[in-house]
């Protein structure tokens, strides 16, 4: 596209994030929430959530099952549960829809509603405005955000590329995100210092499936600014900007659909990333 950069995009390069209120309509948000209710209603509890622990060995098998479930979720629609919501037989101790913390990581590829949102004309147009030449979608998640805080992090810690600066998050509020129910907080300008920590696939035979290399520096609370956003709003997140969310201290949920895009032109996706494209699902182009 070239041409003049809109003031918006200047702000994005300056801060490492950009808030676009009312990017999606209330109807689009509601259609995603309804679709997720259907998906949850039909959900099967994964086998690794059903084993009653008895021996050390079985416990390790369960952990292995859990890590395999995560590591191979890149090209599937899979369920990740809050702690303590299932008994050892895999029965729900609380309402089903409150038990799931997130669903990932290929909603954008296999679910018609989320696919349509991910590739919607306005998202593609935004990609072009950002100057993305060959953007591909690497993963997506539906996040329920019941309680937990998310510690300060950079997305490139988990989705590493050579060179850096090729990962972009699209974060869509399906309900108002407020300081009470766990909106995002950012350190403006923190996307210019590279990354200090990486999550990599552990050597086979290791007890965990991934490990961290490097460490997260100590950030001060006062460096962060909150970004409350209304239902339908979109936050663009640079892969290296430092952000977090506090715990949801309210009675209300904070549903979000988020996906990550990589500029594939001249970019190498790290072979050590937990998420890898598969023959069944190579990373699809954002542009259709």
């Amino acid at each position: 596209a070239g041409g003049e950069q809109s003031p918006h995009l200047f702000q994005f390069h300056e801060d490492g994030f950009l808030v676009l209120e009312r990017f999606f309509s209330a109807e689009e948000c509601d259609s995603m929430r309804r679709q997720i209710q259907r998906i949850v209603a039909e959900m099967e509890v994964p086998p690794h959530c059903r084993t009653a622990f008895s021996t050390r060995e079985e416990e390790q098998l369960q952990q292995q099952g859990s890590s395999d479930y995560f590591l191979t979720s890149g090209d599937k629609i899979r369920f990740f549960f809050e702690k303590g919501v299932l008994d050892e037989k895999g029965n729900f101790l609380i309402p089903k829809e409150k038990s799931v913390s997130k669903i990932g990581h290929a909603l954008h590829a296999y679910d018609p509603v989320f696919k349509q949102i991910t590739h919607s004309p306005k998202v593609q147009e935004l990609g072009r405005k950002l100057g993305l030449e060959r953007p591909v979608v690497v993963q997506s998640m539906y996040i329920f955000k019941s309680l937990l805080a998310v510690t300060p992090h950079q997305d490139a810690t988990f989705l590493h590329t050579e060179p850096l600066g090729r990962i972009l998050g699209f974060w869509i509020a399906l309900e108002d995100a407020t300081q009470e129910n766990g909106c995002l907080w950012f350190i403006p300008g923190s996307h210019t210092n590279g990354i200090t920590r990486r999550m990599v696939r552990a050597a086979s035979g290791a007890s965990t499936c991934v490990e961290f290399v490097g460490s997260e520096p100590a950030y001060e609370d006062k460096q962060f600014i909150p970004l409350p956003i209304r239902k339908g709003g979109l936050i663009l997140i640079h892969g290296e900007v430092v952000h977090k969310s506090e715990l949801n201290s309210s009675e209300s949920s904070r549903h979000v659909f988020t996906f990550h895009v990589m500029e594939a032109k001249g970019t190498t996706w790290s072979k050590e990333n937990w998420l890898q494209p598969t023959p069944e699902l190579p990373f699809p182009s954002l542009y259709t």
Side-chain angles (χ1 to χ4, degrees):
E4 278 300 290
Q5 277 217 327
S6 68
H8 275 346
L9 298 182
F10 170 75
Q11 203 61 50
F12 175 70
H13 294 299
E14 203 65 0
D15 291 336
F17 57 84
L18 181 63
V19 175
L20 298 170
E21 284 281 7
R22 302 210 164 96
F23 192 84
F24 289 97
S25 68
E27 294 75 48
E28 287 171 312
C29 294
D30 295 342
S31 74
M32 287 187 261
R33 292 200 61 186
R34 277 197 306 271
Q35 188 66 351
I36 225 71
Q37 283 172 338
R38 279 185 215 119
I39 289 172
V40 169
E42 292 166 11
M43 142 182 101
E44 293 285 318
V45 175
H48 69 266
C49 297
R50 296 175 196 214
T51 36
F53 297 141
S54 48
T55 67
R56 185 61 221 238
E57 202 174 319
E58 279 166 356
E59 203 162 321
Q60 280 175 331
L61 275 174
Q62 165 154 34
Q63 279 171 344
Q64 189 52 48
S66 165
S67 41
D68 290 346
Y69 185 78
F70 166 70
L71 278 184
T72 57
S73 66
D75 61 352
K76 299 177 189 70
I77 295 176
R78 286 197 162 164
F79 303 94
F80 300 90
F81 296 92
E82 299 286 2
K83 281 193 171 51
V85 299
L86 294 162
D87 67 16
E88 58 273 15
K89 297 196 181 76
N91 298 319
F92 292 99
L93 299 169
I94 62 169
K96 214 171 171 185
E97 53 286 353
K98 286 204 162 67
S99 69
V100 184
S101 67
K102 63 181 193 189
I103 297 178
H105 289 87
L107 285 162
H108 62 281
Y110 296 127
D111 181 88
V113 172
F114 292 99
K115 186 175 194 169
Q116 193 178 358
I117 293 286
T118 304
H119 297 279
S120 56
K122 46 196 167 191
V123 169
Q124 297 194 39
E125 185 193 351
L126 184 53
R128 293 199 167 89
K129 278 190 187 148
L130 288 160
L132 299 176
E133 293 186 54
R134 283 209 292 126
V136 296
V137 186
V138 297
Q139 66 129 345
S140 56
M141 277 187 298
Y142 190 102
I143 304 170
F144 294 81
K145 182 70 178 174
S146 44
L147 293 169
L148 297 177
V150 176
T151 53
H153 68 283
Q154 298 164 292
D155 292 343
T157 285
F158 307 95
L159 309 172
H160 192 267
T161 60
E162 305 268 336
L164 283 171
R166 300 300 172 84
I167 290 289
L168 184 60
F170 289 72
W171 192 94
I172 304 158
L174 304 183
E175 315 178 74
D176 294 353
T178 63
Q179 287 196 42
E180 293 68 46
N181 76 357
C183 70
L184 295 181
W185 295 66
F186 285 81
I187 302 181
S190 57
H191 60 304
T192 55
N193 311 327
I195 59 168
T196 57
R197 192 168 77 127
R198 284 186 60 185
M199 183 172 96
V200 298
R201 284 183 171 240
S204 58
S207 59
T208 56
C209 59
V210 291
E211 54 198 7
F212 285 96
V213 180
S215 61
E216 204 64 69
Y219 302 107
E220 291 180 45
D221 281 346
K222 63 171 191 283
Q223 295 176 274
F224 288 89
I225 63 162
L227 288 193
I229 187 167
R230 289 190 292 270
K231 175 177 177 171
L234 168 70
I235 302 180
L236 275 182
I237 304 176
H238 186 288
E240 282 102 84
V241 75
V242 177
H243 58 290
K244 67 175 182 176
S245 66
E246 296 298 336
L247 48 96
N248 182 350
S249 56
S250 76
E251 290 296 298
S252 53
S253 54
R254 191 221 64 180
H255 288 205
V256 167
F257 176 56
T258 174
F259 59 91
H260 284 89
V261 163
M262 171 179 74
E263 167 63 272
K265 190 181 179 193
T267 310
T268 311
W269 178 256
S270 171
K271 289 265 183 278
E272 293 182 296
N273 286 339
W274 75 266
L275 175 79
Q276 294 296 327
T278 62
E280 295 74 39
L281 184 64
F283 294 150
S285 169
L286 180 67
Y287 301 150
T288 49

